Amino acid sequence: MSTVEALTAADAAEAGGRTKSSSPRTIPVIGVVTPHEDIQGIFKPMDLNRIIKLLEENDKDDLEEKQLNSVTKLVQYYQNGFPLRDLAQVFKILGLCAEKIEKQPCFVEPASDLIKLCGLPFLKKKVSDEITYTEDTANSLALLGELMKIPSSKLRIQICKCIVNFYHAEPPKKHIPGYQPVSSSYKVKMAEVGGLAKSMVQSVFLIEKQLVEKLWVLKVLQHLSTSEANCTLMVKAQAASRICAHLNDPDPSGQLLFRSSEILWNLLEKSSKEEILHQLSNLECLLALKEVFKNLFMRGHSHYDRQLRNDILVITTIIAQNPGAPMIECGFTRDLILFATFNEVKSQNPLVKGLKLSNSYEDFELKKLLFNIIVILCKDLTTVQLLIDGKVILALLTYVKKPERLKIIEWSAAQYEELQLHAIATLSSVAPLLIEEYMSCQGNARILAFLGWCDHEGIFKNMASKHDEKEEAITLEIQSDALLILSGLCEHYIQRKEMFGTEGVDIILHVMKTDPKKLQSGLGYNVLLFSTLDSIWCCILGCYASEDYFLEKEGIFLLLDILALNQKKFCNLILGIMVEFCDNPKTSAHVNAWRGKKDLTAASLLIKLWRKEEKELGVKRDKNGKIVDTKKPLFTSFQEEQKVMPLPANCPSVAVMDVAENIRAKIYAVLEKLDFENLPGLSAEDFVTLCIIHRYLDFKIGEIWNEVCEEIKLEKLKLVTTDKLSLESIIAATENIGKMVASLQSEMIESQARQDVQTEQRVYAKIQATHKQRELANKSWQNFLARTSNAKTLKKAKRLQEKAIESSRYSERPQNAIFHQTVIKGLNTTVPAGRVVTVESTPTRLLGGPLADTDIALKKLPIRGGALQRVKAKTLSELKKNVPM
């Protein structure tokens, strides 16, 4: 029993309960709906196998009419859609009808009607039907593509409409109880599984001259190409080349070009780009693209035409990336160069006569795309002559100037600025190929004039005020390109460096003051800083006036600030600049005066960079930074792995290459010019490392002599006695230097250790004294508390005080001596006190003054309300009279 028959039997059993598993096979049925039953949705059985058998018969006279009537009834019965379980038999009926069309055209109508019903949603009785009938559905939909081979315009168009309806499914007109429409994407997935896209591409050959049918097929392919699976099938069927070759076919409606370009776009996005380029990189396709682009460029005026023109140019740009594409052979390259330059360079070519571009968005994008394709085309050296004939250099240099009203077109300020960026970028790619044309157009003078205008308008200095990231990125790229070009112009030419002058130095200094956080923004500040450092090397160094101005404006401080960021990508270039600057006698003072975070000095910074570099290189050092191997004190891990090999005299050895491959040589050169003996702000660890740096040149020379010795051994050469002794002496001297440095480092480390111990002892002594003082203070406080809380203790303290006072007096009173009473009568304090005590916390109006209860209360200045009052002062003689003896 087939799957369809089994499900039919199961449905009958559910409906009437009369079908059992042991019953004979039942015939697939379909409901014949009467007017009354239509309301109730009840199906009446119908024999599909009988219709199939009827269509297969050919020997009866009145057979055609019966066949047509049976198919017509079938169409009527399925007017709300086909159930999935009957789909295989319905499409078998459709196939039988299609086979009769060539000899019996009357079958076109019923076949078209059946195909039309396929555009309706298929119906499922169970949720699992979509999975159960996957194979039947996929094979049925694949048949639609095969039916495109039948030479019937009506049938082909109906097939295309049916497939388009897959993507714009409408709900069924009537709901049939017990059935539900399949999911909206089910047909689309089944079409992918059945390979419908491949057969539809193959049908393009069959309808090359039928425009209406061709447009419908392209509409179908446009929908099918939205899927990656379909795009893969289409590429295998050579869809790209077949469609592109007919882009320029006559079509008054314009749909052919639109749908074809859309299909090509989808193929490029959703399938193998390499395979698409291979299919499109032929003369036939490029000629078609060329003619289409020319027509749109010269005659396209609507918004839609301009967009389509740009799309065609983007597709052409992608094809141009393939070196094997015959862009020059088909004449497309020449036309593209003409279209890219006709605005800037006058041309008598009839293609551009009277042609204009507007400042619309589409024309602006076109201009950028044309600049971009020139960059791609110039990679093929055979294009050079065409670039010369098209005066591309002259056209690009028209943008390297301040904005002004153009005779042909007026761009907005933002548009013109972006076109300047693209023109400079294009010029940087084209100018090296066309040096003579560049010089004949006075390219250098134009670049310098452009930079002068940039400085006059403050473009470089005002970049920090940009808030829009896109605009800021454009500005940064313009600056980077301009500085790189300027570096190339000034390098090796002192006169040009003098022309760069103080204004150019100011620009560089401004860029160097950029916030370090922006270097990680990804907008292009890194590239700009590299260009700026390159400009220092090429435009300032070697010109004494510019060097002095750079130093005067604290340029060395800015260089060291960037170096202190500890970004490896900048270190090598900055140190190279520092080496050259140190030839200027004024530089040392600036370097030594610089201070970084935590009072870091330039010398200490350089030594830290040395230690970091050696750690990355795998140089052997102990925990204190001492030399471990005195024979190979500078050896890196790479040098350890590499074996010495005999090399020609003109080939640098590993030891020599090491000088150029890391920053140690540059650090040595800077510190050597700063004088190793007078470097400020160094720690003991720095001095230990400095010992190695100081002897870097001696150690490096020793490495080279060791390599010479090893090569002699490998080549089995025998030295004369004198040379042998000299070589041994040199190697021994190098090793002795290593031992001497290691010994000096040990002394420094031991000295520092002793100093650390002494410092520690002083700190401990200070801590001990602090504790002792605290103990004495605590003891004094305890005594004080004891006197205030215990009368006996207070009396005892009083007696001890009086005894101490008496013991301090002379045993015999000198003659005429004045005796001063040391005890104040009526005193109520528990601590030793002077003759005057001021209690600020107690109002004088309550106590009558601080000494109201004493005998000398009237002999002291009164204090009232806490404030001093002006009273009449008594003389010293009057006070003495009142003092008891």
Side-chain angles (χ1 to χ4, degrees), residues 346-402:
K346 292 183 180 180
S347 174
Q348 301 301 322
N349 194 306
L351 290 176
V352 294
K353 188 175 182 180
L355 198 59
K356 276 187 176 182
L357 292 180
S358 68
N359 60 356
S360 65
Y361 174 78
E362 290 77 20
D363 284 352
F364 174 61
E365 288 296 315
L366 171 71
K367 197 67 181 175
K368 294 193 293 183
L369 289 171
L370 288 170
F371 282 153
N372 182 52
I373 201 169
I374 286 178
V375 174
I376 294 172
L377 292 173
C378 74
K379 294 178 182 178
D380 184 359
L381 295 180
T382 56
T383 311
V384 170
Q385 188 58 47
L386 296 177
L387 295 173
I388 295 172
D389 296 340
K391 299 181 181 180
V392 172
I393 292 291
L394 181 60
L396 293 173
L397 285 173
T398 58
Y399 289 92
V400 188
K401 62 180 180 181
K402 65 179 181 180

Side-chain angles (χ1 to χ4, degrees), residues 51 101 160 216 246 280 298 307 343 389 393 528 574 882:
I51 299 175
I101 289 176
C160 293
W216 272 107
H246 296 280
L280 297 178
M298 294 185 294
Q307 281 188 328
N343 264 342
D389 296 340
I393 292 291
L528 179 61
I574 293 174
N882 297 323

Side-chain angles (χ1 to χ4, degrees), residues 734-745:
T734 302
E735 188 174 353
N736 289 335
I737 292 174
K739 291 178 180 178
M740 180 188 69
V741 171
S743 176
L744 181 60
Q745 288 178 316

Side-chain angles (χ1 to χ4, degrees), residues 482-738:
L483 287 175
L484 284 174
I485 293 173
L486 200 60
S487 298
L489 295 174
C490 293
E491 192 175 14
H492 309 307
Y493 295 93
I494 295 297
Q495 292 181 343
R496 294 176 183 173
K497 293 182 180 182
E498 291 174 352
M499 291 173 61
F500 187 76
T502 58
E503 292 181 352
V505 175
D506 285 335
I507 292 172
I508 287 176
L509 291 171
H510 178 77
V511 177
M512 292 174 66
K513 293 176 182 177
T514 301
D515 185 356
K517 295 179 181 177
K518 292 184 177 180
L519 296 175
Q520 310 297 332
S521 66
L523 294 175
Y525 283 96
N526 270 336
V527 178
L528 179 61
L529 186 54
F530 270 118
S531 302
T532 304
L533 295 174
D534 189 56
S535 298
I536 296 174
W537 191 290
C538 299
C539 304
I540 297 178
L541 287 170
C543 178
Y544 298 123
S546 296
E547 284 185 11
D548 290 346
Y549 186 75
F550 184 84
L551 292 172
E552 179 185 338
K553 293 295 182 178
E554 299 182 348
I556 289 294
F557 287 3
L558 296 175
L559 277 175
L560 289 169
D561 287 340
I562 299 172
L563 189 63
L565 295 176
N566 204 13
Q567 296 195 17
K568 192 174 180 64
K569 53 192 171 185
F570 298 123
C571 288
N572 202 11
L573 187 55
I574 293 174
L575 288 171
I577 294 171
M578 293 283 294
V579 171
E580 296 297 325
F581 255 113
C582 284
D583 288 336
N584 189 321
K586 300 178 182 178
T587 303
S588 298
H590 288 264
V591 175
N592 288 328
W594 178 83
R595 292 294 182 272
K597 293 181 179 179
K598 298 180 180 179
D599 207 30
L600 180 69
T601 63
S604 182
L605 172 61
L606 293 172
I607 293 171
K608 282 180 171 61
L609 288 175
W610 175 285
R611 285 199 294 267
K612 181 184 176 185
E613 185 76 2
E614 286 200 330
K615 185 177 181 181
E616 293 176 355
L617 294 172
V619 180
K620 293 181 179 178
R621 298 281 183 262
D622 68 4
K623 62 179 182 179
N624 296 316
K626 278 179 54 181
I627 293 174
V628 174
D629 189 350
T630 56
K631 293 182 179 180
K632 301 174 181 178
L634 297 179
F635 252 45
T636 64
S637 58
F638 176 77
Q639 288 176 281
E640 292 283 359
E641 294 171 359
Q642 295 295 316
K643 294 181 179 180
V644 177
M645 296 177 61
L647 295 171
N650 60 347
C651 291
S653 65
V654 177
V656 175
M657 289 296 295
D658 176 72
V659 175
E661 289 176 350
N662 58 69
I663 61 175
R664 291 190 294 179
K666 293 183 176 66
I667 293 175
Y668 164 78
V670 173
L671 291 175
E672 192 273 335
K673 292 182 179 182
L674 293 177
D675 187 2
F676 284 104
E677 303 298 327
N678 299 305
L679 299 176
L682 300 185
S683 64
E685 185 183 13
D686 291 339
F687 278 112
V688 170
T689 306
L690 188 64
C691 293
I692 302 173
I693 301 175
H694 191 200
R695 290 291 186 173
Y696 173 79
L697 191 58
D698 295 329
F699 291 149
K700 186 54 67 176
I701 291 171
E703 277 186 20
I704 295 171
W705 278 111
N706 276 322
E707 286 185 339
V708 171
C709 184
E710 291 296 326
E711 288 185 19
I712 290 172
K713 290 179 181 178
L714 289 172
E715 294 181 358
K716 298 181 179 180
L717 299 176
K718 190 174 182 181
L719 300 176
V720 297
T721 306
T722 307
D723 290 344
K724 184 178 180 181
L725 291 173
S726 299
L727 184 59
E728 290 174 352
S729 300
I730 292 170
I731 293 173
T734 302
E735 188 174 353
N736 289 335
I737 292 174

Side-chain angles (χ1 to χ4, degrees), residues 101-361:
I101 289 176
E102 188 173 357
K103 295 180 180 179
Q104 298 171 275
C106 58
F107 278 93
V108 170
E109 191 68 28
S112 298
D113 291 340
L114 285 173
I115 293 171
K116 185 176 181 181
L117 291 177
C118 292
L120 298 175
F122 295 149
L123 303 174
K124 60 182 179 181
K125 193 170 183 64
K126 300 178 181 178
V127 176
S128 61
D129 282 357
E130 291 188 8
I131 299 174
T132 304
Y133 298 105
T134 296
E135 184 177 353
D136 287 348
T137 307
N139 293 336
S140 299
L141 295 183
L143 181 62
L144 292 176
E146 297 298 324
L147 294 179
M148 291 294 294
K149 297 177 182 179
I150 298 173
S152 169
S153 178
K154 182 176 181 179
L155 189 69
R156 287 171 175 170
I157 292 173
Q158 189 59 58
I159 291 171
C160 293
K161 289 181 179 179
C162 172
I163 298 173
V164 170
N165 285 337
F166 292 177
Y167 296 86
H168 307 284
E170 295 181 0
K173 297 177 182 178
K174 295 181 181 179
H175 174 68
I176 301 176
Y179 287 88
Q180 293 180 348
V182 297
S183 60
S184 58
S185 61
Y186 182 69
K187 284 186 179 180
V188 176
K189 292 178 182 177
M190 292 300 101
E192 294 176 3
V193 175
L196 179 61
K198 184 176 181 180
S199 56
M200 293 304 296
V201 171
Q202 293 170 345
S203 68
V204 173
F205 276 129
L206 305 174
I207 53 174
E208 288 183 355
K209 297 181 181 179
Q210 288 81 26
L211 179 59
V212 177
E213 297 171 28
K214 185 190 297 185
L215 293 178
W216 272 107
V217 171
L218 289 175
K219 186 174 183 180
V220 169
L221 291 175
Q222 183 183 354
H223 283 82
L224 292 173
S225 63
T226 56
S227 159
E228 291 186 7
N230 285 336
C231 283
T232 303
L233 293 171
M234 292 168 67
V235 170
K236 289 180 180 179
Q238 303 293 311
S241 58
R242 291 184 180 185
I243 293 172
C244 186
H246 296 280
L247 280 176
N248 203 35
D249 288 357
D251 174 28
S253 69
Q255 291 187 48
L256 186 145
L257 182 56
F258 163 70
R259 299 194 187 282
S260 298
S261 62
E262 186 73 16
I263 294 167
L264 291 175
W265 263 116
N266 290 339
L267 291 175
L268 285 167
E269 290 179 354
K270 300 179 185 299
S271 60
S272 171
K273 186 177 179 181
E274 291 74 16
E275 179 61 27
I276 299 296
L277 289 181
H278 177 72
Q279 291 185 23
L280 297 178
S281 298
N282 59 71
L283 201 59
E284 186 180 13
C285 290
L286 286 172
L287 283 172
L289 284 168
K290 171 191 167 185
E291 293 304 319
V292 168
F293 181 74
K294 283 168 58 177
N295 290 335
L296 290 171
F297 195 96
M298 294 185 294
R299 301 179 184 87
H301 302 291
S302 67
H303 173 75
Y304 162 76
D305 288 339
R306 289 170 178 167
Q307 281 188 328
L308 193 56
R309 172 200 62 192
N310 292 355
D311 290 344
I312 296 296
L313 183 54
V314 173
I315 294 173
T316 304
T317 303
I318 296 173
I319 299 173
Q321 295 174 5
N322 182 9
M327 294 288 295
I328 297 176
E329 291 82 348
C330 69
F332 207 173
T333 298
R334 184 182 295 276
D335 289 347
L336 288 171
I337 293 173
L338 173 65
F339 294 142
T341 60
F342 83 95
N343 264 342
E344 297 77 23
V345 180
K346 292 183 180 180
S347 174
Q348 301 301 322
N349 194 306
L351 290 176
V352 294
K353 188 175 182 180
L355 198 59
K356 276 187 176 182
L357 292 180
S358 68
N359 60 356
S360 65
Y361 174 78

Side-chain angles (χ1 to χ4, degrees), residues 777-792:
N778 289 337
K779 187 175 181 181
S780 175
W781 176 248
Q782 290 172 358
N783 292 335
F784 172 76
L785 290 178
R787 292 196 305 273
T788 56
S789 59
N790 192 322
K792 293 182 179 180

Side-chain angles (χ1 to χ4, degrees), residues 838-840 842-844 863-869:
T838 302
V839 181
E840 296 181 354
T842 305
T844 55
I863 299 176
R864 298 176 182 174
L868 296 175
Q869 301 294 324

